[in-house]
Amino acid sequence: MNRNEFLAFLQSKTVIMDGATGSNLQKRGMPSRVCPEQWILENPSAIIELQREFLEAGSDILLAPTFTSNRIKLAEYGLDNKIAEINQGLVELSEQAVQSYREKTGDRREIYIAADLTMTGEQVFPLGALTFDELVDIYKEQLSYILTRKIDLIVIETMMSLQECRAALLAVKETCDLPVIVSLTFEENGRTLYGTDPKTAVLVLQSMGADAIGINCSTGPDKMHGILSEMKTYAHIPIMVKPNAGIPELIDNQTVFPMDPKEFSLEMERLVEEGANLIGGCCGTTPNHIKAMVERVKDKKPEAICGKRIGALTTERQTVEINLEGHFMVVGERINPTGKKALQAELRAGDLTLVSQMAEEQVALGAEILDINVGMNGIDEKETMLEAMYEVLQHTEVPLAIDTSNIEVMEAALRQYPGRALINSISLKKEEYKVLISLAKKYGAMFILLPLSDKGLPKDIEEKKQIIHTILDTALDMGLKKEDIIIDGLVNTLGANPNAALDALETIRYCKEELGIATIVGLSNISFGLPERQYINSTFLAFAIAAGLTMAIANPSQDLLMNTAIAADLVCGREGAADRYIKLIRKISNPSPTESKEGIASQEGKNSGAGKPTDSNLSPKLKGNAIFEAVLKGNKKNIVDLLDKELELGNTPEGILDQLLIPAITEVGNLYDCQIYFLPQLIAGAEVMKVAVEYLEPKLTKAENGVTKGTIIIATVAGDIHDIGKNLVSLMLKNYGYRVIDLGKDVPSEVIIQRAQKEDADIIALSALMTTTMVEMEQVVRMAKEQELRAKIIIGGAAVTESYCSEIGADGYSEDAQSAVKLVEKILE
């Protein structure tokens, strides 16, 4: 099936996927503590019968059970050397299921088999050691074996990280031409575990060429309406919805999904009416659920795909819309070594301190996009660009413009950028412009159209328009849309051309009014070589905004320029400008004792939540301390040097731990609780804390009586191989001074009890992701009571609840790492 056939199929009917694999196979005898793929191959009739039943229920698409058959997951069972035969064998079983169905029913309707991919469980750089390209290769390897069999499409599902979605999608695109669906799982807060919202996910993945986007797992269908609605608003591609049969409960030591087929089908009917094009079931859904669903929707045609087209740049967790009628925007220009000797020296030394400082300052002063240029001699530009990109993304939450004339550097940055970036820029260089447009298409980027050619500057406005149309028409022919493009007004200096400003203003008006395309200018060019340049820059900016200018590359620390921009928005009647102007002028006129008169744009940046906020109740001493800030911002590069400096100033290791490190990690936890930070920032802060504590530990004075803060045994229970959450809890507890013994994942109950006895543990901390494995927690509680252990038992994990904690007699429940620390402190008091 090619992409056009796939789209036509989805437009012809509501397409039915299959239901759950894991939970149904467990009912058919699959134990919890085995490799699912190996068990399926050893018990082929179980999957063949299950998939035949899904087809009998009305499924159009079967997912081959290759879900966790990548090298990393198989290595957990020592089966990575059998990756080829496992993937090929699993696809073959789905082929046999289709054949079995046809022989039994005589049905010759179209049935499609999809390869199924998911997350590897490894953290991707910079959170972990696994590089982006290594991750792409892992998915490519799995696909290479799958594609030796007949596969009709690829489904990438149950994804929590947008960057992993990008890696898997690129792997598919670079391996085959089959249609591909990318589906994410969202928490109750409407974001993935890594903090991505539905709007950002849609904009990034559809721009990279996903053929459909989806929501699956985590919740029941009744909890997916809001997410579907947000996706539908921006999607130009079909949407798949595959919920669980409700949120699982544990009844009589059995995992029960509460939604029966009738209730499930009623909710699925609503989701189809709200715009779902493909529907199916995830955990807990049986063939009966699929059958009931088919009966409810069989006569319903899918809604037309009509998401609004917008220009937008993103990070992994935030989208910045580019609206022709919206407020004027600033692209911060300062991360550029041209004319900056200090920055040049740092880049040559591999030091990015000034880069991160410039990034944070520009965002605080109102920049909504940051331009990154590291072009200079004496460095490896590609390596430096990637390092600078990751550094800036770690310290800010605004999208980036990649500014380089080197195509290899551009592609490297676009490939690894965890969202939707801006190419700065594409001009009519015959040997390059089509290559750069193809990169924009492949990696889903927007680009700045610079109306220059191999001949240099256009001689007049007509030649400028010709260049614009040549590049624009090529981009549209190659599959981009006008919303993907920002046209540079090409400002020349007034000192050389008295009509420079007028020409640029005419270009801006033409692009907005005739072409309906956003515009940008390099603002400082207008005044080059002239005295008192700020007056020329700000005056020209006001005229340009009146002409329809969307954004400018500028230095946001220039108060006159930034204040003029806000005032010009007001004069031009742009939405919200009056309220922002009045509110911010009041702040400038009456600054608090701790505020300086930083300019309207500066205050605007702070009020809009730009950058990485800290708690306003923190003492000034903490806010300004480099160690505190390093933990808060997840910057571990110089943490040891900072600790040494603090020790040289006379602070003790105990003082650093109690007065700086613990308050810092506590603040990280507070920001996580408030959903200002998400999992990546929480992990980054905890990693800095870990490095700091390990460095200070030999220097810390031991308690005279030898009493430690407490010994904790932590483990993921038997049958469960998920350990991201457990590892984070372990790290956080170590950072707070507890003696933590991490037994790992899939740990038998008797091993946990034996180790707790041996270590005379104060706490046993148990983690489980799946409802099918959380029953092991009750086993540990029972065995601990039988052995009369003094250790208190706390539990947590995605499927675990407070009520389950009470039901099994555990001593406490925590929903995340930060609350686990508080729970342990409370119990041990």
Side-chain angles (χ1 to χ4, degrees):
M1 180 164 55
N2 63 39
R3 299 179 70 187
N4 290 332
E5 291 169 341
F6 175 72
L7 182 58
F9 180 46
L10 267 61
Q11 291 173 336
S12 68
K13 60 171 291 189
T14 298
V15 174
I16 308 299
M17 312 286 285
D18 59 12
T21 296
S23 56
N24 283 306
L25 290 181
Q26 285 168 346
K27 289 179 181 179
R28 297 172 190 230
M30 185 175 75
S32 59
R33 293 187 63 193
V34 297
C35 172
E37 290 78 12
Q38 185 180 38
W39 187 88
I40 290 170
L41 290 172
E42 292 172 350
N43 300 271
S45 61
I47 191 70
I48 292 172
E49 290 171 5
L50 174 63
Q51 292 198 330
R52 186 180 67 225
E53 289 171 20
F54 281 132
L55 293 175
E56 290 169 353
S59 293
D60 299 303
I61 298 175
L62 288 180
L63 270 65
T66 55
F67 186 62
T68 53
S69 299
N70 59 70
R71 177 171 296 278
I72 290 177
K73 285 291 188 183
L74 291 176
E76 295 174 355
Y77 300 98
L79 296 172
D80 48 315
N81 61 332
K82 296 185 177 180
I83 183 172
E85 61 189 85
I86 287 174
N87 279 279
Q88 292 164 349
L90 293 171
V91 176
E92 184 179 359
L93 290 179
S94 290
E95 293 170 353
Q96 292 178 26
V98 174
Q99 183 63 29
S100 173
Y101 167 74
R102 294 200 190 284
E103 290 174 355
K104 180 179 179 181
T105 64
D107 189 354
R108 290 296 178 264
R109 65 187 171 92
E110 290 290 346
I111 296 170
Y112 301 101
I113 298 175
D116 197 14
L117 310 182
T118 193
M119 291 181 70
T120 63
E122 291 288 324
Q123 298 286 349
V124 186
F125 182 84
L127 294 178
L130 185 68
T131 69
F132 183 79
D133 280 323
E134 286 172 342
L135 180 59
V136 173
D137 288 343
I138 285 167
Y139 286 122
K140 280 185 175 181
E141 179 189 30
Q142 185 182 1
L143 284 164
S144 70
Y145 300 122
I146 288 172
L147 292 170
T148 60
R149 308 295 306 184
K150 185 182 180 302
I151 284 291
D152 299 295
L153 68 156
I154 312 292
V155 176
I156 302 162
E157 65 169 344
T158 323
M159 303 297 281
M160 294 179 280
S161 161
L162 184 60
Q163 187 71 322
E164 284 209 46
C165 289
R166 293 184 69 257
L169 180 56
L170 279 173
V172 174
K173 292 290 183 181
E174 293 176 352
T175 304
C176 66
D177 294 322
L178 294 176
V180 55
I181 303 169
V182 186
S183 180
L184 297 94
T185 179
F186 293 87
E187 305 289 302
E188 289 187 7
N189 63 7
R191 290 178 178 266
T192 69
L193 185 63
Y194 285 71
T196 301
D197 60 282
K199 176 181 178 180
T200 299
V202 167
L203 292 172
V204 171
L205 296 171
Q206 73 181 3
S207 70
M208 288 183 65
D211 297 288
I213 191 164
I215 321 160
N216 79 289
C217 207
S218 285
T219 66
D222 53 321
K223 306 292 185 183
M224 291 188 172
H225 298 286
I227 296 170
L228 173 61
S229 176
E230 189 172 353
M231 282 188 166
K232 185 71 176 175
T233 301
Y234 300 98
H236 312 138
I237 54 178
I239 301 175
M240 179 188 81
V241 179
K242 281 184 55 185
N244 294 342
I247 297 176
E249 303 168 355
L250 200 67
I251 300 175
D252 296 329
N253 284 334
Q254 295 294 319
T255 300
V256 176
F257 288 85
M259 271 195 175
D260 61 27
K262 181 179 180 181
E263 184 182 2
F264 182 82
S265 67
L266 287 170
E267 288 290 346
M268 295 305 293
E269 182 181 25
R270 283 184 58 201
L271 288 168
V272 170
E273 291 169 350
E274 292 166 5
N277 306 90
L278 302 89
I279 57 173
C282 206
C283 303
T285 56
T286 66
N288 287 333
H289 286 82
I290 302 303
K291 182 177 181 180
M293 183 179 73
V294 169
E295 286 298 313
R296 299 294 308 186
V297 305
K298 62 183 179 181
D299 296 322
K300 292 187 178 294
K301 285 291 183 71
E303 279 196 5
I305 300 166
C306 54
K308 64 181 181 180
R309 293 195 177 275
I310 62 169
L313 300 171
T314 83
T315 62
E316 190 167 5
R317 292 174 289 278
Q318 181 170 303
T319 293
V320 173
E321 285 195 36
I322 298 168
N323 185 347
L324 269 67
E325 305 301 329
H327 68 277
F328 172 77
M329 304 168 70
V330 171
V331 180
E333 68 177 5
R334 293 182 61 201
I335 304 175
N336 186 324
T338 304
K340 300 183 181 75
K341 292 183 179 180
L343 180 57
Q344 291 173 13
E346 285 200 1
L347 291 177
R348 287 194 181 99
D351 185 354
L352 297 174
T353 302
L354 198 51
V355 168
S356 59
Q357 180 183 328
M358 287 178 168
E360 290 180 324
E361 288 175 351
Q362 290 183 101
V363 171
L365 291 167
E368 296 181 67
I369 303 162
L370 294 178
D371 186 84
I372 298 185
N373 183 314
V374 296
M376 54 178 277
N377 59 18
I379 64 169
D380 182 326
E381 186 184 356
K382 182 168 74 171
E383 181 181 337
T384 304
M385 174 63 82
L386 293 174
E387 290 175 349
M389 181 181 79
Y390 281 119
E391 182 77 7
V392 171
L393 289 170
Q394 182 178 346
H395 287 265
T396 68
E397 196 60 72
V398 299
L400 304 184
I402 310 301
D403 188 353
T404 177
S405 58
N406 186 311
I407 292 179
E408 182 184 355
V409 174
M410 181 64 75
E411 177 163 21
L414 293 176
R415 187 175 183 84
Q416 296 193 34
Y417 183 80
R420 193 169 196 225
L422 177 64
I423 295 174
N424 185 9
S425 54
I426 300 178
S427 60
L428 192 57
K429 292 183 179 180
K430 296 295 185 183
E431 301 300 320
E432 295 183 359
Y433 82 103
K434 289 184 180 179
V435 175
L436 286 167
I437 292 172
S438 69
L439 293 182
K441 176 66 175 174
K442 177 176 181 177
Y443 296 110
M446 293 184 66
F447 74 87
I448 295 173
L449 189 163
L450 183 65
L452 294 175
S453 69
D454 291 321
K455 300 176 184 177
L457 291 168
K459 64 179 181 295
D460 54 32
I461 189 69
E462 291 307 316
E463 185 180 351
K464 184 190 283 189
K465 289 179 181 178
Q466 288 174 5
I467 295 171
I468 288 171
H469 279 280
T470 300
I471 300 174
L472 175 60
D473 292 345
T474 302
L476 297 179
D477 288 344
M478 292 176 69
L480 275 74
K481 307 298 180 185
K482 65 180 183 178
E483 291 83 8
D484 301 327
I485 301 167
I486 303 169
I487 298 177
D488 194 319
L490 196 61
V491 178
N492 296 317
T493 175
L494 285 168
N497 178 5
N499 293 318
L502 297 177
D503 288 347
L505 293 174
E506 183 178 348
T507 304
I508 292 166
R509 276 191 290 267
Y510 175 75
C511 291
K512 182 183 179 184
E513 296 171 8
E514 300 294 325
L515 300 180
I517 296 178
T519 52
I520 190 170
V521 296
L523 194 59
S524 60
N525 294 346
I526 193 72
S527 61
F528 184 78
L530 297 171
E532 300 296 340
R533 298 176 63 185
Q534 70 271 23
Y535 299 116
I536 299 171
N537 292 347
S538 59
T539 302
F540 172 70
L541 178 61
F543 278 93
I545 290 173
L549 182 66
T550 312
M551 62 180 69
I553 300 176
N555 183 349
S557 66
Q558 298 174 0
D559 282 354
L560 178 60
L561 184 148
M562 299 298 285
N563 296 352
T564 297
I566 299 291
D569 268 357
L570 174 62
V571 171
C572 292
R574 295 194 175 182
E575 186 176 354
D579 289 342
R580 288 186 293 125
Y581 182 84
I582 292 170
K583 180 171 63 175
L584 300 172
I585 281 292
R586 285 174 179 166
K587 286 201 170 188
I588 292 173
S589 302
N590 302 288
S592 70
T594 59
E595 289 176 332
S596 62
K597 192 171 182 178
E598 295 170 301
I600 296 178
S602 168
Q603 298 298 329
E604 174 70 9
K606 290 179 179 178
N607 289 326
S608 64
K612 305 274 184 166
T614 58
D615 193 316
S616 59
N617 295 322
L618 293 171
S619 71
K621 180 180 178 181
L622 281 181
K623 285 185 179 181
N625 184 273
I627 293 173
F628 180 89
E629 293 292 328
V631 176
L632 195 66
K633 296 167 184 173
N635 187 4
K636 65 180 178 182
K637 186 176 295 184
N638 301 316
I639 187 63
V640 172
D641 291 338
L642 294 175
L643 292 170
D644 283 337
K645 289 179 182 178
E646 190 71 22
L647 291 168
E648 289 172 5
L649 291 173
N651 202 345
T652 64
E654 291 84 359
I656 294 172
L657 183 64
D658 294 338
Q659 299 162 20
L660 297 174
L661 291 173
I662 290 179
I665 200 65
T666 300
E667 178 63 3
V668 169
N670 292 338
L671 292 170
Y672 179 77
D673 289 341
C674 296
Q675 295 181 18
I676 295 172
Y677 275 11
F678 296 95
L679 184 65
Q681 293 102 323
L682 186 63
I683 292 174
E687 287 292 338
V688 179
M689 183 78 173
K690 176 185 177 184
V691 173
V693 169
E694 288 177 350
Y695 182 71
L696 290 177
E697 192 171 18
K699 307 175 190 296
L700 292 169
T701 304
K702 302 297 181 182
E704 292 183 4
N705 58 6
V707 177
T708 63
K709 197 170 181 180
T711 297
I712 301 170
I713 302 294
I714 188 168
T716 301
V717 296
D720 202 316
I721 59 171
H722 302 88
D723 65 354
I724 293 176
K726 184 267 299 176
N727 290 344
L728 186 55
V729 172
S730 175
L731 179 58
M732 292 284 282
L733 288 168
K734 288 178 181 178
N735 289 342
Y736 275 83
Y738 295 98
R739 177 174 175 252
V740 179
I741 300 170
D742 189 341
L743 301 183
K745 56 191 175 184
D746 189 17
V747 183
S749 300
E750 56 271 19
V751 172
I752 296 171
I753 294 299
Q754 290 168 4
R755 193 62 185 272
Q757 287 176 319
K758 179 181 178 181
E759 303 293 342
D760 190 26
D762 299 283
I763 298 280
I764 297 173
L766 304 175
S767 174
L769 180 73
M770 303 180 296
T771 55
T772 52
T773 58
M774 58 192 265
V775 294
E776 293 289 335
M777 292 176 167
E778 184 176 13
Q779 172 84 344
V780 175
V781 171
R782 180 184 59 77
M783 293 175 67
K785 290 178 179 178
E786 290 174 355
Q787 297 294 326
E788 297 183 348
L789 295 187
R790 71 176 189 86
K792 302 294 185 182
I793 299 177
I794 64 173
I795 63 174
V800 181
T801 62
E802 186 82 55
S803 61
Y804 179 63
C805 175
S806 300
E807 180 183 329
I808 67 173
D811 298 289
Y813 158 78
S814 69
E815 62 181 2
D816 53 46
Q818 185 63 23
S819 62
V821 173
K822 296 175 182 177
L823 176 62
V824 169
E825 289 177 341
K826 181 179 178 181
I827 288 176
L828 294 185
E829 281 177 356

